[in-house]
Amino acid sequence: MSALIDCRNLTKTYEMGDTTINALAGVSITINQGEYVAVMGASGSGKSTFMNLLGALDTPTSGELQVAGNRLSQLNADALADFRSGSIGFVFQQFNLLPRTPAVENVALPLVYAGVPAAERNRRALARLEQVGLAERSHHHPKQLSGGQQQRVAIARALVNDPAIILADEPTGALDSRTSEEVMAIFDQLNREGITIILVTHEQDVADHAKRQLVFRDGLVVEDRS
Amino acid sequence: MNLFASIRVALVALRVNFLRSALAMLGIIIGVASVIVLVSISEGTKRAVEAQIDSFGASLLIIRPGSSIFGGRRGGAGSASPLTDLDVRAVREEIAGLSGVSGEVRTSVTAVFGGVNWTTSATGVNADYFDARGWIVDEGRAFSAAEDESGRRYAVIGQTLVNELFDGASPVGQSLRVRGQPFEVIGTVEPKGETSWGQDQDDVIFLPLETARSRLGAGVRGPTRDPVQTIYADVSAGEDTDRVIADIQDLLRIRRDIAPGAVDDFSVASLAEFIRARNETENQLGLLLAVGAGIVLLVGGIGIMNIMLVSVTERTREIGLRLAVGAKRRDIRNQFLIESIVLCLIGGGLGLVAGIGGTSVYANVGQLDIAVSPLIVGVAVGASLFVGVFFGLYPAQRASRLNPIDALRFE
Ligand SMILES: Nc1ncnc2c1ncn2[C@@H]1O[C@H](COP(=O)(O)OP(=O)(O)OP(=O)(O)O)[C@@H](O)[C@H]1O
Ligand SMILES: [Mg+2]
């Protein structure tokens, strides 16, 4: 069985004037279907860069990357959009919900671009909100929700397309420890249901939820513990 | 993403920045409104002019002594020898392509009926006059050519006299006194209303030409026998007016002994041409104003582009998010394009309302018959659609070319 995520010698460099930053300096790693991975490391070690490459939000400088059967370097812009739409669910530290838009519409947004009809969108979005325990908040706007609730809406949005992989970059970074636990409980449950989860965190107790921990330093994976 | 959903997103975005959207629309509103007002007015004026030409007789030629009828300097009108009945007959008999020729003399008289006095224009004409000038007899009859020549004291009167002297009752068969002499009213003519310069065309008594000359001395001056002041000649449908004018000029030059190379001491002109020519300058003014309105529209479009660029910048993170959840580049482009089009169409719609309002105010104040034609409405909508697409495309393209991660990280 081939791995769900397979990266070979992945690099990402940024040219800043006459200095070159090696955000990723050659990462080779495989992640299988159903894994629960925590990505750790000091600030600036390349964690977000790595996540963005996995989700095709950014392109590597060199190296090979295969995700869910797609060789990302060979996909054009439209195919990358289809890939993000079909295979990936993103959760961001800052939630990134659309303001002045009810929770249910925020959750349904990916379905809009997947071409799902309105009634079906609504039905599926409500089901996902229910799954994260926010069914009765479906018509609240982000401003009317707590940070934890907003992040749960964002998770529902990430789930709505039934992605193979959830990529969460510091999903608890803006939350207190109690709400963090609530959010992590949802990730635990999703992983039990078979969804592959990769999350970035600075906190060991958050990382302890995962079954595998990758530690980055200076753009390289320096530790890979299961 | 379908069109309806995109329009909804656009409307929400516009409502969020209501004041800014309204200000951005202002240029479009003013541009479209002024285009509509200007075009409507110019169309209305054109219609009024054509109506006026019709009321004079669209194909009417006017022949007068003196070198120029129009433009205020009727050079030598007094000195040039008058036209006469013989000229009328010559034109009638020798010029091909005319359907009616009549001489005309005028004098101011006081008409009396039942103790009421009314000062009006007594106009002596030949029998052909009514057809040539488009006067329609609506009661009684006009006089015949024979009655005209025999100098009968018949009168055909305009609506103003019917109202002023007869209180609107039928005057046919009544006897009217003009300069103390009795005239039998044999007919009335349909009203034509005022000319654009405010002269009441219906304030008139038509008499047989010979009668007017011999009984009232109309047009008589100097030793010339049977003078007429003006000859009206109606060009038949399908005839070449310029050719007819040239023929008449040739004929009169011979009759009046004008040496080759010398200037005509008479003039032959088409009234319709004159009125159209005068209106031409007004049209040019209208064109100039339309160009102005176009520039307003252009400035409005630049305003739209500016506001759309601001909107794209403000919503960079939103664009990043949409890309992250699967939006294609064309989805983003269409979203902003639709937003710009919606903005312009709303502006265009408001401009349309303002334009129609402005036009009807102008029509009321100016007592003009102006209507906003469906074509203009189409042009207004088309213009705002065009502005929306043209000036929205660049901002929309810019939005769609954003790199997902750069857009998401944008602050
Ligand atoms: N757009 C960019 N331009 C220039 N340098 C960048 C850019 N994005 C990231 N970097 C650099 O790449 C390196 C890795 O950044 P990255 O965001 O992956 O770190 P991180 O591990 O996520 O850090 P943190 O824990 O603070 O989020 C950093 O040195 C950062 O400054
Ligand atoms: Mg980071």
Side-chain angles (χ1 to χ4, degrees):
Chain A
M1 192 193 91
S2 73
L4 182 65
I5 296 169
D6 189 352
C7 54
R8 297 276 158 78
N9 220 7
L10 213 52
T11 70
K12 180 74 183 177
T13 56
Y14 293 103
E15 307 285 342
M16 302 282 282
D18 30 297
T19 60
T20 304
I21 298 163
N22 290 309
L24 285 186
V27 172
S28 300
I29 210 150
T30 59
I31 295 172
N32 289 315
Q33 171 78 47
E35 280 202 71
Y36 193 169
V37 183
V39 176
M40 305 193 63
S43 184
S45 59
K47 306 180 296 295
S48 295
T49 305
F50 176 65
M51 297 289 274
N52 295 335
L53 293 183
L54 293 189
L57 291 178
D58 207 354
T59 47
T61 307
S62 72
E64 268 305 317
L65 177 58
Q66 190 163 329
V67 182
N70 301 287
R71 289 185 64 165
L72 298 188
S73 59
Q74 292 175 349
L75 302 185
N76 64 18
D78 277 3
L80 286 173
D82 284 333
F83 163 76
R84 288 191 290 263
S85 170
S87 305
I88 306 291
F90 289 100
V91 179
F92 305 97
Q93 180 175 359
Q94 294 305 329
F95 324 137
N96 275 343
L97 299 176
L98 294 183
R100 304 179 203 91
T101 308
V104 63
E105 281 182 34
N106 265 293
V107 175
L109 190 64
L111 298 175
V112 169
Y113 295 111
V116 177
E120 173 72 2
R121 288 205 298 266
N122 198 49
R123 196 186 61 73
R124 279 163 68 176
L126 283 174
R128 291 307 187 184
L129 276 174
E130 174 131 43
Q131 190 177 353
V132 298
L134 286 174
E136 74 285 5
R137 297 299 172 98
S138 63
H139 292 286
H140 285 58
H141 288 200
K143 246 197 254 171
Q144 302 163 314
L145 298 170
S146 72
Q149 287 168 333
Q150 288 187 54
Q151 193 59 299
R152 277 146 67 193
V153 171
I155 293 169
R157 180 180 65 196
L159 288 172
V160 79
N161 261 344
D162 298 317
I165 306 163
I166 297 268
L167 297 175
D169 195 346
E170 302 192 40
T172 61
L175 305 176
D176 61 38
S177 56
R178 206 177 60 81
T179 24
S180 290
E181 276 308 309
E182 282 171 23
V183 165
M184 289 314 295
I186 294 171
F187 281 124
D188 293 351
Q189 176 58 33
L190 291 172
N191 181 249
R192 274 196 293 278
E193 291 166 12
I195 298 174
T196 307
I197 291 169
I198 304 170
L199 62 85
V200 174
T201 184
H202 285 285
E203 293 151 69
Q204 190 57 50
D205 48 345
V206 168
D208 286 342
H209 284 261
K211 293 165 192 148
R212 180 179 175 189
Q213 295 180 2
L214 300 178
V215 180
F216 277 70
R217 186 182 304 146
D218 299 333
L220 289 169
V221 177
V222 292
E223 247 182 274
D224 182 354
R225 340 179 257 262
S226 297
Chain B
M1 181 134 113
N2 68 29
L3 187 65
F4 181 73
S6 308
I7 291 174
R8 241 196 52 182
V9 169
L11 286 175
V12 169
L14 296 180
R15 203 181 50 212
V16 165
N17 288 302
F18 179 79
L19 185 63
R20 197 174 76 187
S21 309
L23 287 175
M25 276 179 216
L26 211 56
I28 303 291
I29 296 175
I30 294 172
V32 167
S34 43
V35 166
I36 287 181
V37 171
L38 291 173
V39 175
S40 298
I41 289 174
S42 110
E43 295 266 293
T45 315
K46 213 177 287 172
R47 263 204 310 278
V49 166
E50 290 304 321
Q52 199 176 93
I53 288 170
D54 279 347
S55 89
F56 280 120
S59 48
L60 195 67
L61 300 182
I62 301 172
I63 307 163
R64 277 186 184 160
S67 58
S68 165
I69 289 181
F70 303 119
R73 38 171 203 100
R74 227 161 89 195
S79 57
S81 61
L83 295 160
T84 68
D85 282 357
L86 294 178
D87 294 316
V88 175
R89 185 183 303 162
V91 170
R92 186 183 291 143
E93 288 171 359
E94 291 174 41
I95 303 296
L98 293 175
S99 52
V101 178
S102 171
E104 186 198 72
V105 291
R106 278 170 180 266
T107 189
S108 179
V109 296
T110 301
V112 185
F113 178 79
V116 182
N117 287 0
W118 184 254
T119 299
T120 185
S121 157
T123 305
V125 298
N126 298 126
D128 274 358
Y129 182 87
F130 298 95
D131 281 345
R133 297 223 39 192
W135 284 104
I136 297 164
V137 176
D138 64 351
E139 208 196 327
R141 62 185 187 87
F143 38 84
S144 67
E147 286 165 345
D148 162 29
E149 276 165 32
S150 63
R152 302 289 284 270
R153 277 183 291 190
Y154 284 160
V156 174
I157 65 175
Q159 193 60 44
T160 303
L161 270 95
V162 176
N163 293 339
E164 298 295 340
L165 291 183
F166 297 93
D167 253 350
S170 170
V172 175
Q174 303 281 8
S175 181
L176 195 67
R177 292 190 86 78
V178 177
R179 293 224 185 123
Q181 306 170 54
F183 284 77
E184 183 190 342
V185 178
I186 60 166
T188 64
V189 284
E190 275 186 5
K192 282 194 179 193
E194 284 188 1
T195 63
S196 64
W197 52 92
Q199 185 196 337
D200 178 8
Q201 299 182 83
D202 302 315
D203 188 2
V204 68
I205 303 179
F206 294 113
L207 311 169
L209 197 143
E210 178 53 36
T211 314
R213 235 173 3 214
S214 58
R215 302 276 173 184
L216 307 176
V220 178
R221 193 151 45 96
T224 312
R225 284 187 50 146
D226 302 332
V228 298
Q229 289 166 322
T230 308
I231 301 173
Y232 291 101
D234 191 28
V235 181
S236 307
E239 293 290 339
D240 177 358
T241 306
D242 290 339
R243 195 269 304 157
V244 175
I245 290 176
D247 285 356
I248 295 173
Q249 282 167 337
D250 289 346
L251 175 73
L252 291 180
R253 284 179 72 88
I254 293 166
R255 290 186 57 78
R256 293 165 77 83
D257 266 338
I258 297 168
V263 188
D264 290 353
D265 65 350
F266 64 94
S267 62
V268 184
S270 156
L271 187 60
E273 297 306 307
F274 168 69
I275 293 177
R276 288 209 185 90
R278 193 186 58 177
N279 202 49
E280 195 66 2
T281 51
E282 278 166 26
N283 275 352
Q284 275 161 9
L285 192 69
L287 190 74
L288 207 67
L289 292 170
V291 168
I295 290 171
V296 173
L297 218 50
L298 183 81
V299 172
I302 292 168
I304 295 289
M305 180 146 110
N306 180 42
I307 224 69
M308 289 310 299
L309 285 171
V310 170
S311 177
V312 167
T313 305
E314 270 182 359
R315 285 149 72 195
T316 302
R317 278 166 64 91
E318 176 192 320
I319 294 166
L321 173 79
R322 288 176 186 274
L323 290 168
V325 300
K328 297 199 166 68
R329 295 196 177 289
R330 64 168 168 277
D331 293 322
I332 302 298
R333 188 199 61 208
N334 291 350
Q335 180 188 332
F336 283 96
L337 202 53
I338 285 169
E339 192 169 314
S340 150
I341 291 171
V342 167
L343 194 65
C344 285
L345 283 182
I346 293 175
L350 294 175
L352 189 66
V353 172
I356 290 173
T359 302
S360 60
V361 165
Y362 185 90
N364 279 341
V365 170
Q367 300 270 295
L368 284 171
D369 171 31
I370 300 177
V372 177
S373 75
L375 178 76
I376 299 167
V377 176
V379 167
V381 172
S384 28
L385 197 67
F386 173 79
V387 170
V389 173
F390 189 82
F391 291 96
L393 200 58
Y394 173 68
Q397 294 280 22
R398 241 170 86 139
S400 74
R401 296 223 179 93
L402 285 169
N403 183 24
I405 192 62
D406 293 340
L408 270 170
R409 287 239 184 96
F410 184 84
E411 2 238 59

